[in-house]
Amino acid sequence: MAGTLLEVAGVTAFYDASQALFGVDLSVGEGEVVALMGRNGMGKTTTIRTICRMMPHREGRISFAGRDLARLPSHQAAWLGLGLVPEGRRCFPTLTVHENLIAAARSGHWNADRVVALFPQLADRRHQKANTLSGGEQQMLAIGRALMTNPRLLILDEATEGLGPLVRREIWSVIARLKEEGLSILVVDKSIAALAAIAERCVILEKGTTCWSGPSADLTPALTQRYLGV
Ligand code: ATP
């Protein structure tokens, strides 16, 4: 069996005095796609922030590729191979597509040419500023920028938020291609059906705690109704 790449165990975290995570457990194996689910405000983004060292966790353990992340500053966590596509995309607005891509580049399989081959719409826009792109193109750029870091784990927070059906389909098919290529992926999205179709396993958060995790095939309508309200 492939090894564990990311292990989050018993993690708690606070925004000042306000506790947001009360004990999150999740893991992602090498080459595995895991969906992180939960209703609004249940702690998905906060979990991702703690994994990416954008905020500290108070208790528990986060290890990545066998290293305890608590001991590393955030820039070193990125260097270890965590590639984040953040909620709201956050491309550099006044930089061009190409400048956005090369800003975070690390050598490896992914380079600007490969990203543009993955997202052909970006090809004609290489010298256009990011703030002139559509939402879908900005999400493609955000994914491309994360790939340019040549991550061992790609983390997508709200993979298709605010996008139309055609662009959504395209983003999911790109994620499926990345999965086929063996990339490990942790993904958050509102579409439970799309997540369950692509992920091997799902982890559900409720009030800052992992309340269910298991193979996507075991995610029954009763469970989605109970924990996700759909
Ligand atoms: P959503 O689907 O709405 O993005 P989420 O599952 O990602 O939700 P989080 O954004 O992680 O949830 O929020 C978890 C808890 O932490 C919520 O109670 C939220 O109000 C709180 N929280 C999030 N960001 C902050 C912040 N910057 N300051 C204070 N509290 C915050």
Side-chain angles (χ1 to χ4, degrees):
M1 200 181 104
T4 301
L5 183 58
L6 172 72
E7 179 99 56
V8 174
V11 161
T12 66
F14 290 70
Y15 290 99
D16 299 320
S18 160
Q19 187 163 4
L21 301 184
F22 294 82
V24 172
D25 301 304
L26 71 91
S27 66
V28 182
E30 295 274 7
E32 191 180 31
V33 178
V34 174
L36 182 58
M37 298 175 168
R39 285 184 296 239
N40 288 349
M42 293 301 170
K44 302 178 297 294
T45 296
T46 306
T47 297
I48 288 172
R49 285 193 190 126
T50 61
I51 293 167
C52 295
R53 310 302 306 138
M54 295 156 76
M55 63 185 276
H57 59 283
R58 190 169 290 185
E59 294 158 289
R61 181 180 154 84
I62 304 177
S63 64
F64 182 68
R67 305 271 301 268
D68 182 353
L69 287 187
R71 299 173 190 279
L72 296 178
S74 58
H75 65 277
Q76 282 190 20
W79 187 80
L80 268 184
L82 286 159
L84 174 65
V85 181
E87 191 173 17
R89 326 197 211 290
R90 301 186 193 280
C91 301
F92 300 116
T94 59
L95 297 188
T96 66
V97 165
H98 186 71
E99 288 164 345
N100 265 279
L101 290 178
I102 60 172
R106 286 174 52 215
S107 61
H109 170 80
W110 288 101
N111 54 35
D113 289 339
R114 286 211 163 100
V115 166
V116 165
L118 188 68
F119 294 116
Q121 289 96 315
L122 295 181
D124 325 337
R125 313 221 182 285
R126 261 178 122 139
H127 302 291
Q128 205 169 308
K129 289 197 163 71
N131 59 9
T132 66
L133 300 177
S134 70
E137 289 160 353
Q138 286 188 28
Q139 184 67 343
M140 293 172 195
L141 178 56
I143 295 171
R145 198 179 48 174
L147 290 173
M148 291 287 286
T149 68
N150 279 288
R152 291 182 68 179
L153 176 67
L154 182 68
I155 302 178
L156 298 117
D157 192 357
E158 300 291 354
T160 66
E161 189 175 39
L163 304 179
L166 279 178
V167 184
R168 276 172 195 236
R169 209 174 307 148
E170 183 171 354
I171 299 284
W172 287 118
S173 86
V174 162
I175 295 171
R177 267 177 68 183
L178 297 171
K179 174 185 175 177
E180 272 167 32
E181 289 177 16
L183 188 61
S184 309
I185 300 173
L186 179 66
V187 56
V188 171
D189 195 77
K190 297 275 183 294
S191 171
I192 308 307
L195 287 175
I198 202 156
E200 278 104 0
R201 282 192 307 112
C202 301
V203 175
I204 304 180
L205 299 185
E206 189 168 64
K207 297 185 181 150
T209 311
T210 300
C211 61
W212 187 85
S213 66
S216 302
D218 293 356
L219 191 65
T220 60
L223 285 167
T224 56
Q225 173 63 40
R226 177 168 170 194
Y227 293 124
L228 306 169
V230 289

